[in-house]
């Protein structure tokens, strides 16, 4: 006779099974503030992690009917809808089609395809947690509309990429139907043209957002607009300028990561809107991404406005750092390769010494000892490009060797996105050259 005390309650089994199919990071809506975010960010988009969790989920559903029902309830947690011109029969595409009701039978009612899709969705118990959807035509817009009505009740992350003419109906759809999206915490909208007071609408419709990205498109100049997101940790604004926004109307007390554009005419203008944003909302920042224009200088006050920032991402060939106070915690610097800027500087200056070196080297010299400098390329060869003229390539390689020497003297770790240091690259290159020379010598002796 079995001991009844050994029988676990159903709620405990439910939590155990949830842990078994967990996809760590990829379904999260918050990110730790510690460490180098640039190196951490990819794991939050790691499809392999999700695919492994899907294997576990499909295995669980084979145990019994109850476990099958549980597993089927948690299908389609991460969906991508971005149809290609050619037929795509991958599992991810099939999952997206099933989750979004794409293969529902045609219908002659006024709603057309959308009505057929919505009927299919009503029969689907599973609800996505994360979705990326591209809206390129009326069919895609219909898919999104019906998904909002019938399928997005548990959605936590919504990323929409659209063509310009669909921006207004998409935004209206989300704002007017926000009660159907109660769990959304991360909202990413790309290439939408906004009108009126879009930040105010988002604040009212999605007050619990922890992350928001607005990229591309146009943004209205409206002093009455405001942003109130008490839980927002990440804000990314990828527009040409922040002029027209009124950052003094914002309330974002939890802000940790911020991406802002800075134009050349913002130089030295501490009353520019972008610097007003940093002055008013930078006190808790850990991560600052600067979208740059040519010849941009950050003001010295930035260290006072952002006393806790530990990581800065920009092109240090374009953006100049002011002197860093010795007690400031900034230690991670991510350099976004801008092929035109550094090579143009090099060729124009004909540098021969540290004094004549371009802006990037000057920035490296101002970084604190023991810092980490990450170059935004997977391989070091990408720094000088594949089709670059040999003379130009040699000049760029020599310049990076000078950067590396400066880093060595300051105990700065210089690495790429694969975490290979420049020193390791040079050693690998030397070993490869030695092996090649050894092979040539052996071939010469054999032919003799």
């Amino acid at each position: 006779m079995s001991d009844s005390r050994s029988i676990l309650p159903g709620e405990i089994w439910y939590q155990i099974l949830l842990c078994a199919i967990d996809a760590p990071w990829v379904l999260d809506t918050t990110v730790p503030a510690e460490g180098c975010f640039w190196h951490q960010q990819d794991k939050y988009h790691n499809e392999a992690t999700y695919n492994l969790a899907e294997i576990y989920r499909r295995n669980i559903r084979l145990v019994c009917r109850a476990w099958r029902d549980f597993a089927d309830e948690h299908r389609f947690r991460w969906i991508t809808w971005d149809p290609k011109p050619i037929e795509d029969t991958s599992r991810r595409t099939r999952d997206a089609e099933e989750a979004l009701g794409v293969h529902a039978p045609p219908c002659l009612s006024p709603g057309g395809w959308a009505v057929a899709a919505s009927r299919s969705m009503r029969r689907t118990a599973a609800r996505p947690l994360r979705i990326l959807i591209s809206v390129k035509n009326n069919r895609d817009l219909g898919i999104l509309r019906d998904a909002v009505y019938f399928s997005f009740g548990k959605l936590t992350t919504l990323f929409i990429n659209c063509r310009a003419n669909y921006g207004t109906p998409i935004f209206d759809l989300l704002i007017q139907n926000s009660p159907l999206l109660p769990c959304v915490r991360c909202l990413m909208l790309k290439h939408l043209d906004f009108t009126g007071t879009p930040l105010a609408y988002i604040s009212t419709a999605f007050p619990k957002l922890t992350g928001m990205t607005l990229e591309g498109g146009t943004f209205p100049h409206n002093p009455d607009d405001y942003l109130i997101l008490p839980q927002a940790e990440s804000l990314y604004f990828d527009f040409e300028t922040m002029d027209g926004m009124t950052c003094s109307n914002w309330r974002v007390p939890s802000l940790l990561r911020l991406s802002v554009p800075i134009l050349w005419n913002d130089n030295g203008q501490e009353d520019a809107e972008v610097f007003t944003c940093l002055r008013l909302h930078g006190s808790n920042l850990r991560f600052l991404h600067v979208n740059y224009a040519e010849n941009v200088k950050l003001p010295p006050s930035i260290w006072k406005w952002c006393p806790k920032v530990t990581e800065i991402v920009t092109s240090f060939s374009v953006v100049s750092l002011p002197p860093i106070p010795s007690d400031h915690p900034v230690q991670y610097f991510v350099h976004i390769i801008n092929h035109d800027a550094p090579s143009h500087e090099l060729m124009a200056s004909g540098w021969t010494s540290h004094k004549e070196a371009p802006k990037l080297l000057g920035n490296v010299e101002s970084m604190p000892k023991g810092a980490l400098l990450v170059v935004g390329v997977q391989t070091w060869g990408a720094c000088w490009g594949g089709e670059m003229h040999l003379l130009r390539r040699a000049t760029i390689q020599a310049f990076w060797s000078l950067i590396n020497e400066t880093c060595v003297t300051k105990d700065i770790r210089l690495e790429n996105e694969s975490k290979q240091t420049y020193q390791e690259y040079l050693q690998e290159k030397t070993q490869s050259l030695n092996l090649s020379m050894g092979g040539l010598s052996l071939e010469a002796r054999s032919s003799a």
Side-chain angles (χ1 to χ4, degrees), residues 388-413:
M388 194 175 290
H389 188 277
L390 289 178
L391 178 59
R392 184 181 178 191
R393 181 184 301 179
T395 304
I396 301 296
Q397 288 175 328
F399 175 66
W400 277 103
S401 294
L402 180 58
I403 294 288
N404 181 62
E405 292 173 10
T406 305
C407 288
V408 170
T409 60
K410 299 198 65 175
D411 196 26
I412 295 174
R413 180 179 172 87

Side-chain angles (χ1 to χ4, degrees), residues 143-424:
I143 290 172
L144 174 62
R145 181 183 298 113
D146 284 284
V148 169
Y149 291 157
F150 302 109
S151 187
F152 283 179
K154 295 182 180 179
L155 195 71
T156 60
T157 300
L158 175 59
F159 181 11
I160 299 178
N161 181 15
C162 78
R163 291 182 176 173
N165 53 315
Y166 292 101
T168 298
I170 287 174
F171 191 68
D172 291 344
L173 171 69
L174 298 180
I175 298 302
Q176 293 170 11
N177 295 281
S178 61
L180 301 177
L181 307 168
C183 299
V184 169
R185 296 295 179 267
C186 294
L187 181 64
M188 294 170 275
L189 304 176
K190 189 172 182 179
H191 296 153
L192 272 69
D193 290 330
F194 297 98
T195 59
T197 55
L199 297 181
Y201 284 127
I202 291 174
S203 299
T204 302
F206 303 102
K208 295 183 180 180
L209 288 182
T210 60
M212 181 177 71
T213 296
L214 304 180
E215 180 179 350
T218 58
F219 204 87
H221 291 211
N222 193 328
D224 295 327
D225 204 5
Y226 62 86
L227 183 66
I228 300 178
L229 295 175
Q231 300 176 38
E233 297 180 357
S234 301
L235 294 178
Y236 287 72
F237 295 102
D238 191 359
F239 300 112
E240 290 185 358
T241 177
M242 292 187 70
D243 291 347
M245 295 185 179
T246 309
C247 297
S248 58
N249 292 344
W250 294 9
R251 187 162 68 85
V252 283
S254 304
L255 192 60
L256 298 176
R257 286 167 293 276
L258 178 65
S259 176
V260 291
I262 296 180
L263 298 179
W264 64 269
N265 56 355
D266 291 326
N267 278 337
Q269 305 295 323
E270 293 195 3
D271 59 346
E273 196 60 37
V274 63
F275 296 137
T276 299
C277 179
L278 294 176
R279 176 169 51 83
L280 296 178
H281 309 294
S283 59
N284 289 316
L285 281 185
R286 304 299 195 277
F287 174 94
L288 175 62
H289 178 202
V290 176
N291 292 316
Y292 49 84
E294 292 188 7
N295 302 318
V296 171
K297 295 181 179 179
L298 297 179
S301 299
I302 192 170
W303 309 121
K304 180 175 63 176
W305 300 334
C306 308
K308 298 179 182 178
V309 72
T310 59
E311 183 171 354
I312 295 182
V313 178
T314 190
S315 173
F316 292 106
S317 296
V318 178
V319 177
S320 293
L321 289 173
I324 303 174
S326 59
D327 59 347
H328 197 280
V330 63
Q331 58 179 317
Y332 306 118
F333 301 87
V334 182
H335 173 58
I336 305 300
I337 289 289
N338 181 333
H339 284 293
D340 293 335
S343 58
H344 173 76
E345 286 186 70
L346 288 168
M347 295 307 194
S349 65
W351 61 276
T352 57
S353 67
H354 284 53
K355 184 177 180 180
E356 298 174 356
K359 190 176 296 182
L360 174 58
L361 183 56
N363 280 322
V364 173
E365 290 176 333
S366 70
M367 293 175 186
K369 288 188 175 182
L372 171 65
L373 174 57
V374 180
V375 180
V377 293
Q378 287 293 321
T379 64
W380 285 108
C383 290
W384 34 88
E387 302 297 328
M388 194 175 290
H389 188 277
L390 289 178
L391 178 59
R392 184 181 178 191
R393 181 184 301 179
T395 304
I396 301 296
Q397 288 175 328
F399 175 66
W400 277 103
S401 294
L402 180 58
I403 294 288
N404 181 62
E405 292 173 10
T406 305
C407 288
V408 170
T409 60
K410 299 198 65 175
D411 196 26
I412 295 174
R413 180 179 172 87
L414 174 62
E415 65 182 31
N416 57 25
E417 290 183 335
S418 301
K419 297 190 177 182
Q420 182 191 41
T421 68
Y422 197 80
Q423 285 286 99
E424 292 168 346

Side-chain angles (χ1 to χ4, degrees), residues 105-160:
C107 177
L108 298 178
S109 66
W113 181 91
V115 170
S118 66
R119 288 174 178 171
S120 175
M121 288 179 187
R122 291 176 186 177
R123 296 193 297 269
T124 302
R127 294 290 181 264
L129 297 181
R130 166 180 174 156
I131 189 165
L132 183 156
I133 184 166
S134 293
V135 178
K136 303 173 184 176
N137 49 48
N138 288 334
R139 180 178 184 241
D140 294 337
L141 182 59
I143 290 172
L144 174 62
R145 181 183 298 113
D146 284 284
V148 169
Y149 291 157
F150 302 109
S151 187
F152 283 179
K154 295 182 180 179
L155 195 71
T156 60
T157 300
L158 175 59
F159 181 11
I160 299 178

